[in-house]
Amino acid sequence: MIKERAFWLAWSQINGIGPVLLKRLQTHFKYLAAAWDASLTDLMEVEGFGCQTAEMVVAERRAIQPEQLLSQHEQENPNFWTPADPDYPRLLLEIPDPPPVLYYRGQVEERELNGLAPMVAIVGTRSPSPYGRQWTRRLATALVEQGFTVVSGLAEGIDTEAHRACLETGGRTIAVLGCAVNVVYPWSNRSLYQQLVQTGLALSEHPAGTQPDRTFFPRRNRIIAGLCRAVLVMEAPEKSGGLITAYYANEYGRDVYALPGRLDDYKSLGCLKLIDQGARPIRGTDHLLELLGTIPQFKEPPGVSTQQFSLPLNLSSDLAYILQVLTDLAPSLDGEAVPFDLLVQHSGLPAGSVSSALTQLEMEELITSLPGMRYQRS
């Protein structure tokens, strides 16, 4: 929808309107085009909009022509998505603060955007020990061999090891940057970055030419967490960007895993803290893959057997199928709620069809939705 795309871009230019307020605007007015024409009084009905913020919006939007802005922006930044675009990553749409504009460079994979290809983040310290490097490479290699896409931040240390191991294994990897996608940072990773965009993808919420800034990196970590169904923290001191990513993942209902380390190693104190707070310890490659759902019985979509439970007489075949897929997956997850992306992957249906079916099943009180786009039988 070209018109709505223009308004996502236009709203992102208004001072004081960050991703959280922008999503609230969209939720309240349904369309950002409608929000653009809203009165001061109507804007103040949106949560988080005080009088001062609303007055600033009314004043600043007078100087912006959304469709003209879009035309100019597309010339300077030919490759970007907004939440109004069908290719915008579906899992990012579910977080409370999705980037209003997401720039990309490299090779786009539709299955990733639709949530059909499982993605896992690997993050950690910029100065890892040999132990941290070894396990990062080992796990990244195992993940891509099982069909996962590995997401990281192209930083020195753990991020670099994760991206490099994926490329060396012939796997798919995504880098989320704290600068524009046409800016390489750190410069020491320029060769790695060029290799990455040949087969993988670079993402950023910053337009062309934006240089790195220390304030950008904590916010980019939310994108890493939002894209993935799980985050692995390999090595992290108590103050680490990897912990920020883990906290976002926890807020978004994603799984968090941490590599255990020695008690006297400060580079592992952050991981030990995460484990103490409920993150799952990584106890080996096979154990991790099993927890992530890549054990052999997950390789093929489960068959539909309507004899396993009694279906309501008025339930359509599509709803029955999704309900059966959810039921089949639950035992493999030790009875835990089933993530949305796993349901899409094993059903073989479009993400939109699965989402619609889940909504109807919830209305029928046959399933319960939990935080993080997870579902279980009622």
Side-chain angles (χ1 to χ4, degrees):
M1 187 176 185
I2 295 178
K3 184 177 181 180
E4 192 68 3
R5 186 178 205 237
F7 284 95
W8 275 99
L9 176 62
W11 274 108
S12 73
Q13 308 300 304
I14 302 293
N15 289 319
I17 305 300
V20 173
L21 280 183
L22 196 44
K23 186 161 186 178
R24 289 177 184 171
L25 270 174
Q26 191 248 351
T27 301
H28 184 85
F29 290 100
K30 190 173 181 180
Y31 296 108
L32 289 183
W36 191 259
D37 296 325
S39 67
L40 179 69
T41 302
D42 290 340
L43 288 172
M44 290 178 61
E45 293 179 358
V46 180
E47 181 185 358
F49 273 76
C51 183
Q52 184 176 359
T53 300
E55 288 177 346
M56 180 177 61
V57 166
V58 171
E60 289 195 16
R61 70 185 181 187
R62 295 194 189 105
I64 300 176
Q65 299 296 323
E67 294 188 7
Q68 181 180 339
L69 173 66
L70 176 63
S71 178
Q72 178 182 348
H73 199 76
E74 287 175 334
Q75 294 178 21
E76 300 169 354
N77 301 268
N79 298 320
F80 69 89
W81 301 302
T82 74
D85 298 318
D87 287 338
Y88 191 92
R90 190 188 189 286
L91 288 181
L92 283 184
L93 290 174
E94 306 301 329
I95 68 176
D97 48 359
V101 185
L102 188 64
Y103 304 89
Y104 64 91
R105 180 183 178 190
Q107 312 306 312
V108 175
E109 172 56 58
E110 186 176 352
R111 285 176 52 81
E112 292 169 352
L113 303 180
N114 291 332
L116 297 175
M119 296 193 284
V120 173
I122 297 181
V123 297
T125 179
R126 285 175 167 80
S127 55
S129 68
Y131 168 76
R133 293 181 187 275
Q134 173 191 356
W135 274 102
T136 298
R137 296 182 65 83
R138 182 180 298 180
L139 294 176
T141 298
L143 286 169
V144 298
E145 288 177 344
Q146 292 293 330
F148 281 84
T149 297
V150 172
V151 181
S152 197
L154 201 72
E156 295 176 334
I158 294 297
D159 292 14
T160 295
E161 296 293 341
H163 290 307
R164 184 169 288 137
C166 292
L167 294 173
E168 291 175 355
T169 312
R172 175 90 174 164
T173 185
I174 294 176
V176 184
L177 310 179
C179 56
V181 295
N182 67 337
V183 174
V184 178
Y185 181 82
W187 186 243
S188 58
N189 273 345
R190 59 191 180 279
S191 177
L192 175 64
Y193 182 65
Q194 293 303 322
Q195 295 176 50
L196 186 150
V197 295
Q198 294 301 312
T199 58
L201 191 65
L203 299 174
S204 173
E205 60 183 330
H206 304 290
T210 304
Q211 298 298 312
D213 186 279
R214 61 183 300 177
T215 62
F216 295 160
F217 293 98
R219 296 296 296 158
R220 91 60 208 271
N221 291 344
R222 86 187 192 284
I223 302 175
I224 294 176
L227 284 169
C228 301
R229 48 175 290 210
V231 171
L232 314 184
V233 184
M234 302 309 299
E235 261 188 337
E238 289 189 283
K239 294 183 178 181
S240 167
L243 297 189
I244 296 175
T245 309
Y247 295 149
Y248 276 120
N250 186 61
E251 179 182 342
Y252 299 157
R254 311 309 199 228
D255 291 334
V256 178
Y257 300 83
L259 182 71
R262 300 192 314 271
L263 295 176
D264 59 354
D265 182 0
Y266 81 95
K267 294 180 181 179
S268 293
L269 294 182
C271 289
L272 295 174
K273 180 179 180 181
L274 287 176
I275 293 171
D276 185 55
Q277 294 174 340
R280 295 191 178 189
I282 298 172
R283 293 170 19 207
T285 302
D286 292 341
H287 178 250
L288 175 66
L289 292 176
E290 181 177 352
L291 293 176
L292 289 174
T294 56
I295 51 179
Q297 58 262 39
F298 275 27
K299 300 295 283 185
E300 296 294 334
V304 178
S305 173
T306 55
Q307 298 177 351
Q308 290 189 22
F309 59 88
S310 177
L311 294 173
L313 295 178
N314 63 342
L315 206 59
S316 71
S317 58
D318 283 350
L319 299 190
Y321 175 59
I322 294 300
L323 189 58
Q324 182 65 59
V325 171
L326 187 151
T327 302
D328 288 342
L329 286 172
S332 302
L333 297 173
D334 296 328
E336 294 187 4
V338 181
F340 174 82
D341 57 334
L342 203 60
L343 284 168
V344 173
Q345 178 184 355
H346 285 272
S347 70
L349 298 177
S353 299
V354 176
S355 180
S356 176
L358 290 170
T359 300
Q360 294 179 62
L361 287 170
E362 189 172 6
M363 292 175 63
E364 294 281 351
E365 299 184 349
L366 293 172
I367 66 171
T368 302
S369 63
L370 300 177
M373 296 180 65
R374 294 164 179 268
Y375 301 87
Q376 63 183 19
R377 290 288 306 275
S378 298

